[in-house]
């Protein structure tokens, strides 16, 4: 596996409240292993040398030594606080890719494409809107560190960002509720 330039980091957001799911969904088994491990393995297999895992203060996630754990004490306030915490922790890098731990079918190829982009690059969602995973250059870091509440990165980034179409829309699958664990593709 080719390793990325260490100036590029991946931030995996795993601090969500899982309210719609009804419990700590990221450690719930999905196809034989904890849900969060699918996105983590895609990131590890992508070639990132620097991996950041943003969690809340009380988590059951047990990450390998390859991950730098970032505790977000404000995780209950929403995803924006986790993006801000992750980007602050990865501030020494020139580019970051932000992915979600509840997207088990994200591919290493897609993460690599975001890493090789320039400026802000979002993933085109099924509704055509820009979303996660996404990549950002250093010029976007200050705006991302100011996010609060449930604000996503789209709020902080100018409208001239690029949008990357996934090779397979199945990659966009995310788990929000218990029944999502049984979705067949």
């Amino acid at each position: 596996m080719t390793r990325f330039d260490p100036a590029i980091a991946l931030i995996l957001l795993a601090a969500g409240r899982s309210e719609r799911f009804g419990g700590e969904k990221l450690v719930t088994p999905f196809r034989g292993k904890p849900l969060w491990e699918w996105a983590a393995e895609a990131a590890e297999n992508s070639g990132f040398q620097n991996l950041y895992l943003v969690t809340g203060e009380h988590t059951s996630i047990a990450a390998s030594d390859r991950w730098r754990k970032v505790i977000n004490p404000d995780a209950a306030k929403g995803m924006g606080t986790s993006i801000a915490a992750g980007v602050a922790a990865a501030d020494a890098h020139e580019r970051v890719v932000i992915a979600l731990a509840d997207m088990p079918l994200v591919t290493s190829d897609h993460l690599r494409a975001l890493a090789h982009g320039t400026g802000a690059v979002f993933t085109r969602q099924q509704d055509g809107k820009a979303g996660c995973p996404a990549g950002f250059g250093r010029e976007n870091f200050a705006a991302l560190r100011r996010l609060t509440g449930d604000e996503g990165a789209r709020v902080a980034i100018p409208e001239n960002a690029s949008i990357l179409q996934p090779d397979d829309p199945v990659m966009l699958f995310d788990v929000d509720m218990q029944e999502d664990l049984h979705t067949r593709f």
Side-chain angles (χ1 to χ4, degrees):
M1 165 181 47
T2 304
R3 293 273 190 211
F4 279 126
D5 179 333
I8 304 171
L10 182 125
I11 301 167
L12 186 61
L13 303 182
R17 298 177 300 249
S18 305
E19 289 175 346
R20 288 180 283 174
F21 189 83
E24 196 173 1
K25 72 178 171 182
L26 296 178
V27 295
T28 300
F30 175 76
R31 297 183 180 175
K33 59 186 168 188
L35 176 64
W36 83 276
E37 286 184 15
W38 291 93
E41 284 182 14
E44 290 171 0
N45 294 334
S46 296
F48 291 93
Q49 292 186 53
N50 294 286
L51 300 165
Y52 295 83
L53 178 66
V54 181
T55 67
E57 292 179 302
H58 307 289
T59 183
S60 300
I61 293 175
S64 74
D65 291 342
R66 289 195 61 194
W67 292 88
R68 295 178 195 169
K69 202 163 188 183
V70 178
I71 305 296
N72 176 9
D74 295 322
K77 294 180 181 175
M79 182 174 61
T81 65
S82 290
I83 293 170
V87 172
D91 193 55
H93 303 286
E94 294 300 316
R95 183 163 188 79
V96 296
V97 172
I98 299 174
L100 304 177
D102 66 355
M103 291 181 73
L105 304 181
V106 68
T107 66
S108 296
D109 288 343
H110 192 77
L111 296 175
R112 277 192 290 274
L114 292 167
H116 290 302
T118 57
V121 182
F122 290 94
T123 297
R124 181 179 309 282
Q125 302 300 300
Q126 292 180 344
D127 62 3
K129 293 181 181 176
C132 229
F136 304 96
R138 171 164 287 290
E139 67 276 11
N140 304 124
F141 288 10
L144 294 170
R145 285 192 308 265
R146 287 191 298 270
L147 288 172
T148 60
D150 279 329
E151 296 175 324
R154 279 190 313 232
V155 172
I157 304 303
E159 292 182 16
N160 61 354
S162 299
I163 299 181
L164 179 64
Q165 179 72 37
D167 289 337
D168 185 348
V170 169
M171 184 206 80
L172 300 172
F173 169 71
D174 71 336
V175 175
D176 289 324
M177 296 180 283
Q178 297 246 351
E179 53 267 21
D180 294 336
L181 294 171
H182 308 292
T183 301
R184 300 279 181 232
F185 299 99

